[in-house]
Amino acid sequence: MGGLTLGARGVRATARIVATPEGLPVLEGEGPLALRRTRACGPYHRVTVVGAMSAPLGGDRIAVEAEVRDGARLHVDSAAATIALPGRDGERAHYDVRLTVGEDAELRWLPEQLISASGSDLVMRTRIDLAPGARLVYREEQVLGRHGEPPGTLATRLTVHRAGRPLLDQELAYGPGASGGWDGAAVLGGHRAAGQLLVVGPQFVDRPAEPRMLGDNAVLTPLAGPALLVTAVAPDARLLRHVLDDALRSHLTTR
């Protein structure tokens, strides 16, 4: 892995986490991505991502890689929201997340919101690879613009494979650089916050989740695999978190 690079076209940085049942043999932060070992409950190792500098800015290419090896338990959160900001030259920023969860391992990936500030342009790609017996709780939330401002351009892609087979692959795009209709009634309907919660685990093999609405602006969908997906929109980040937290409490199982 290359080290941190600071150049005229932005920051290049990758943070890495490796969790085993015994501990965290790899915990390497770079540039804007500082990693801190924090107090955990039960069998989990816990890591908090701390923003060491403003990022992602236009032109930045940053990444987080986490590997949860067989039998390990890892909880990852963040100390504050991530804010996508415009760079000096209007360049696009890239933020990649790559997660691998082994057999009889569990990852809880619960960061704070991503805020798309006015004038920013960010592509965020998340790739998750799960062993057949892996467990996952994954939350992502996007807030379109800070208070009183329009959003930047935000494109996201979430790709999940389980046992080498596709489980989920979806793309979303918002803001002035996205195709028309993103703020229409069939997508956001004027809301400023959007998010989803993905829960994967063997508990759904024999008892799949049942599809249903969760209030007026959220839906629970069982996937073609031992998993469920909650998708929600809300007027603001606080209300969005409330919906996703309620779903998490209802479907999270402990071992």
Side-chain angles (χ1 to χ4, degrees):
M1 179 190 70
L4 169 68
T5 300
L6 296 171
R9 303 191 65 180
V11 173
R12 307 291 188 270
T14 300
R16 295 184 64 232
I17 306 166
V18 174
T20 69
E22 294 76 28
L24 298 169
V26 178
L27 191 62
E28 301 173 348
E30 283 190 342
L33 301 171
L35 304 178
R36 300 288 183 264
R37 190 190 310 257
T38 47
R39 181 177 297 178
C41 297
Y44 295 89
H45 307 301
R46 182 178 175 185
V47 174
T48 298
V49 181
V50 179
M53 55 191 287
S54 294
L57 302 174
D60 288 353
R61 288 182 174 270
I62 60 177
V64 179
E65 300 176 354
E67 178 187 356
V68 189
R69 293 182 179 169
D70 293 356
R73 306 285 184 269
L74 177 64
H75 179 121
V76 178
D77 55 21
S78 60
T82 298
I83 305 178
L85 296 166
R88 289 178 295 181
D89 301 321
E91 288 191 58
R92 175 170 291 172
H94 295 263
Y95 190 176
D96 292 331
V97 177
R98 298 182 286 271
L99 310 175
T100 304
V101 188
E103 190 64 31
D104 192 35
E106 181 173 350
L107 173 62
R108 297 185 180 182
W109 188 266
L110 300 169
E112 294 301 308
Q113 300 89 354
L114 170 65
I115 300 173
S116 176
S118 179
S120 65
D121 188 351
L122 175 66
V123 174
M124 184 169 185
R125 294 170 296 194
T126 301
R127 167 72 187 234
I128 305 174
D129 290 292
L130 304 172
R135 295 173 179 264
L136 172 72
V137 176
Y138 174 88
R139 181 183 69 208
E140 65 175 28
E141 300 163 300
Q142 295 95 30
V143 179
L144 305 181
R146 293 168 293 191
H147 180 72
E149 73 173 12
T153 296
L154 174 63
T156 71
R157 182 172 183 178
L158 172 61
T159 306
V160 185
H161 285 76
R162 176 182 174 271
R165 303 180 64 180
L167 179 66
L168 176 67
D169 191 350
Q170 76 173 25
E171 296 183 71
L172 301 169
Y174 309 111
S179 59
W182 62 270
D183 200 25
V187 186
L188 289 181
H191 292 93
R192 293 177 59 86
Q196 53 193 355
L197 175 72
L198 174 65
V199 182
V200 183
Q203 68 269 29
F204 299 117
V205 172
D206 297 325
R207 299 183 61 185
E210 296 183 1
R212 65 181 185 275
M213 293 293 298
L214 303 176
D216 295 331
N217 299 304
V219 61
L220 185 154
T221 306
L223 300 183
L228 65 84
L229 179 69
V230 176
T231 305
V233 296
D236 57 40
R238 181 184 63 84
L239 293 173
L240 177 66
R241 177 64 61 83
H242 177 74
V243 172
L244 297 181
D245 278 354
D246 279 352
L248 183 60
R249 282 190 291 267
S250 297
H251 294 281
L252 185 62
T253 59
T254 58
R255 302 185 69 183

